[in-house]
C-alpha cells in the first residue's frame, strides 16, 4: 500500500461509504500505518462529540401563534385579476421557441459535463485502488505481444498496446476493469517511478482530441479515436502526461 491513504478515502471509510473490498484494504492499511490510524481515531472522536452535543435549536412554545398573528396583520384582500386578451405576433412565438432550444442545449451540455466529471472521478478511484491494493496488473510483462493476446477471450475487443521503451516509458502489463457500466482494459505503463494507467473501451461517436483535467492531485487526458475511448491517468505532471499520450497515439 502507498505511504498514506487519501484523505477522501478516510472520510468515506468513517461514513461507511466504501464497499467491502475497499474497507478491508483500508483496514489492513490502518493496522500498519500509525499516522493514518491516529487520523481516523481523531475524526471518529470529533464525529462522536458532535453527535453527543445538543446542537438542535428549540423554538419557544408561543412562536407559532406569534408568527401566525404577524402574517394575519400583513394579509391583504385578494384582488381579482383582469383578463386581457391580446394577439401575440408569430415572431414572438419564434423567439420563445428559440429560447427554449437554447435552454435545452445548455441543459444537455451541463448534463454532459456532469457525466464526464463523474466518469473522471470513477477513473481516478480505480487508479488509486490499483495502487493501494497492489493490484496493478493481472498480466505482468514488458512485451506487448504477451500483454495484448492476454485480453483475448476476456474482452469483446482488442485493446491497443504499444512498446514505448525507446522513449523511456516501460510497459508493465495489463488488467481487467469495470468502468462506466461496462468492461474495460487497463494498460499499465511506468515512467521513472510514476505509474500510468491507460483505460480503454469501445465508444460510439467520432474522434475527439485529448481533453485535460485534474482530480485529487492526478492529471487525466481523455480522447476518442477509432471507435474507442481512452483515458490516461497518472501523478505525472501535465506536460509529461501530454507527451506520453502523443507518443501513444503515433
Amino acid at each position: 500500500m502507498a505511504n498514506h491513504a487519501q484523505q477522501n478515502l478516510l472520510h468515506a471509510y468513517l461514513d461507511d461509504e466504501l464497499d467491502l473490498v475497499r474497507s478491508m484494504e483500508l483496514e489492513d492499511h490502518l493496522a500498519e500505518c500509525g499516522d493514518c490510524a491516529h487520523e481516523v481515531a481523531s475524526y471518529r472522536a470529533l464525529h462522536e462529540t458532535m453527535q453527543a452535543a445538543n446542537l438542535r435549536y428549540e423554538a419557544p412554545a408561543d412562536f407559532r401563534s406569534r408568527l401566525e398573528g404577524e402574517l394575519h396583520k400583513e394579509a391583504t384582500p385578494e384582488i381579482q385579476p383582469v383578463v386581457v386578451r391580446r394577439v401575440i405576433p408569430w415572431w414572438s412565438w419564434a423567439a420563445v421557441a428559440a429560447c427554449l432550444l437554447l435552454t435545452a442545449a445548455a441543459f444537455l451540455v451541463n448534463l454532459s459535463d456532469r457525466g464526464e466529471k463523474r466518469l473522471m472521478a470513477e477513473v481516478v478511484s480505480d487508479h488509486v485502488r490499483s495502487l493501494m491494493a497492489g493490484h496493478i496488473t493481472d498480466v505482468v510483462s514488458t512485451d506487448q505481444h504477451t500483454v495484448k493476446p492476454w485480453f483475448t477471450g476476456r474482452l469483446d475487443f482488442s485493446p491497443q498496446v504499444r512498446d514505448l521503451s525507446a522513449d523511456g516509458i516501460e510497459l508493465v502489463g495489463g488488467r481487467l476493469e469495470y468502468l462506466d457500466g461496462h468492461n474495460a482494459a487497463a494498460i499499465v505503463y511506468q515512467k521513472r517511478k510514476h505509474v500510468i494507467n491507460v483505460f480503454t473501451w469501445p465508444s460510439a461517436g467520432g474522434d475527439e482530441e485529448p481533453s485535460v483535467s485534474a482530480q485529487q492531485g492526478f492529471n487525466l487526458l481523455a480522447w476518442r479515436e477509432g471507435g474507442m475511448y481512452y483515458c490516461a491517468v497518472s501523478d505525472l505532471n501535465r506536460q509529461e502526461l501530454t507527451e506520453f499520450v502523443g507518443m501513444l497515439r503515433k
Side-chain angles (χ1 to χ4, degrees):
M1 188 172 286
N3 294 334
H4 294 298
Q6 298 283 330
Q7 289 288 328
N8 63 320
L9 289 177
L10 295 180
H11 289 293
Y13 172 73
L14 287 168
D15 294 335
D16 294 326
E17 295 177 352
L18 296 180
D19 56 36
L20 178 60
V21 173
R22 295 188 184 180
S23 293
M24 293 177 66
E25 292 170 355
L26 188 56
E27 288 172 356
D28 290 341
H29 173 73
L30 293 175
E32 300 175 359
C33 180
D35 290 340
C36 289
H38 177 72
E39 193 164 358
V40 167
S42 298
Y43 288 148
R44 182 174 285 119
L46 177 61
H47 185 264
E48 291 174 353
T49 300
M50 293 187 68
Q51 282 189 327
N54 184 15
L55 301 178
R56 184 173 179 178
Y57 172 75
E58 295 289 343
D62 63 339
F63 175 75
R64 181 183 181 89
S65 60
R66 288 192 290 109
L67 178 61
E68 290 178 345
E70 291 297 326
L71 292 176
H72 182 72
K73 292 178 183 178
E74 296 295 329
T76 56
E78 182 180 357
I79 301 175
Q80 295 295 330
V82 178
V83 178
V84 179
R85 297 185 179 276
R86 52 176 299 200
V87 177
I88 301 177
W90 65 269
W91 49 264
S92 295
W93 289 113
V96 171
C99 289
L100 290 175
L101 287 174
L102 289 173
T103 302
F107 173 77
L108 291 175
V109 169
N110 182 56
L111 191 63
S112 176
D113 288 344
R114 283 189 292 172
E116 189 69 14
K117 288 179 180 178
R118 178 196 57 77
L119 176 57
M120 293 302 98
E122 189 177 350
V123 166
V124 169
S125 178
D126 275 20
H127 176 72
V128 172
R129 180 171 56 84
S130 71
L131 299 177
M132 293 182 63
H135 179 212
I136 298 178
T137 56
D138 292 327
V139 54
V140 182
S141 178
T142 59
D143 182 6
Q144 66 186 111
H145 302 295
T146 298
V147 176
K148 185 179 179 69
W150 181 85
F151 288 98
T152 302
R154 294 178 171 89
L155 293 173
D156 57 358
F157 63 92
S158 180
Q160 179 191 66
V161 181
R162 298 287 303 276
D163 181 1
L164 302 175
S165 57
D167 298 301
I169 308 292
E170 180 185 358
L171 175 64
V172 178
R175 69 178 184 279
L176 297 175
E177 282 289 357
Y178 190 80
L179 283 164
D180 200 31
H182 44 65
N183 292 326
I187 312 301
V188 187
Y189 298 88
Q190 186 167 339
K191 182 173 183 179
R192 299 188 299 275
K193 293 185 179 181
H194 302 279
V195 174
I196 310 170
N197 270 304
V198 180
F199 299 96
T200 181
W201 60 86
S203 177
D207 293 355
E208 294 179 3
E209 289 299 308
S211 61
V212 184
S213 60
Q215 286 202 25
Q216 301 180 33
F218 295 96
N219 288 311
L220 304 97
L221 262 77
W223 71 98
R224 284 183 172 84
E225 186 173 0
M228 301 290 290
Y229 182 90
Y230 298 90
C231 184
V233 55
S234 176
D235 59 354
L236 277 172
N237 63 57
R238 182 170 296 188
Q239 180 178 348
E240 288 185 297
L241 188 61
T242 301
E243 291 172 354
F244 164 76
V245 169
M247 291 184 287
L248 196 66
R249 299 181 67 201
K250 287 183 179 178

